[in-house]
Amino acid sequence: MTRTTRFSRVQRVSRATVPVAVTAAAFALAACGGGGDAGHEGPHGAASASATADPGGPAGKGAGEQAHNAQDVAFAQGMIPHHRQALEMARLAPGRSAAPGVADLAARIEKAQDPEITTMTGWLRAWGEKVPDPTGSMPGMDHSAHSGMPGMMGAQDMAKLEKATGRAFDTLFLTMMVEHHEGAVEMAETEKAEGRHAPAKALAGDIVTAQRAEITEMNRLLGRD
């Protein structure tokens, strides 16, 4: 074989090898580039998963419908036992009240506040927060654990209401419920001002509107207007 022939064969082999080498190099760069992108996306993906798994954490508190703050938690944890006591008071009216207006008001309070307890309980569970123990608001149970909240009645107040009947019950019920509602309005106004969770703030606004109207109604029944 001549030198020229050998050179031609080498040249053909080299030319055939170049595209393969270039393709392999391009593939390797693409793989490195893909790995680099994956490396950047990895932490973000992990953060997103963490936000979903832990709505109570900083990332979770800013994620969509789960966006909330400590005030939202305090509002729900405080308003649940507050509402439970209102229901306990309202459920004493049948068989004790002498005024149809009082019995009707008590029924409306129960109808409005019972579903709100369910709603707030759902928020706390979704946020991974503690739901207040319901036993503290059951008839005959100690109310001292929540007596520091605005408008909450103590155990002696509840016992006195339970023993009252007729007009005495109506007067005591209305007097206590006005104070109870005023406390709820105060708590709801704080949530409106300082809360972050949009549904909680909306519920707080509803509580303010409804309970202020009921305060006006109760004062009228008491002859205060």
Side-chain angles (χ1 to χ4, degrees):
M1 183 180 295
T2 65
R3 181 177 179 180
T4 302
T5 304
R6 286 197 303 271
F7 177 79
S8 298
R9 289 182 179 177
V10 171
Q11 190 176 37
R12 285 197 299 270
V13 171
S14 298
R15 288 174 179 173
T17 305
V18 169
V20 175
V22 171
T23 303
F27 180 83
L29 287 172
C32 290
D37 289 344
H40 287 294
E41 291 176 0
H44 291 294
S48 299
S50 176
T52 303
D54 183 16
K61 290 183 180 180
E65 284 297 312
Q66 292 300 327
H68 68 284
N69 60 15
Q71 169 55 38
D72 297 316
V73 175
F75 170 69
Q77 289 180 333
M79 195 61 79
I80 286 173
H82 205 277
H83 271 22
R84 284 174 180 158
Q85 188 178 72
L87 294 186
E88 182 180 341
M89 294 167 66
R91 288 165 181 164
L92 293 175
R96 291 180 174 84
S97 175
V102 172
D104 177 69
L105 173 65
R108 283 186 278 121
I109 289 172
E110 182 175 359
K111 184 178 180 180
Q113 297 193 22
D114 201 13
E116 290 174 350
I117 292 173
T118 301
T119 297
M120 292 183 286
T121 297
W123 293 339
L124 291 174
R125 287 175 176 163
W127 298 336
E129 301 287 351
K130 182 179 179 181
V131 177
D133 187 350
T135 58
S137 296
M138 296 296 288
M141 301 302 288
D142 183 14
H143 296 269
S144 59
H146 305 295
S147 59
M149 286 191 294
M152 286 290 283
M153 301 295 116
Q156 291 182 346
D157 298 317
M158 295 301 294
K160 186 176 180 180
L161 181 64
E162 188 174 359
K163 292 176 182 178
T165 58
R167 293 185 62 184
F169 173 86
D170 292 335
T171 300
L172 188 57
F173 173 84
L174 292 170
T175 302
M176 290 172 60
M177 193 63 82
V178 165
E179 181 180 349
H180 200 271
H181 273 30
E182 288 173 343
V185 168
E186 179 182 338
M187 294 165 66
E189 289 284 17
T190 301
E191 169 62 16
K192 286 176 61 181
E194 301 177 12
R196 182 179 182 186
H197 190 55
K201 290 165 71 72
L203 175 59
D206 292 342
I207 289 172
V208 169
T209 300
Q211 298 205 17
R212 277 182 176 164
E214 288 173 352
I215 289 170
T216 299
E217 179 182 353
M218 289 186 286
N219 281 328
R220 188 183 71 250
L221 290 170
L222 286 166
R224 293 176 177 175
D225 56 351

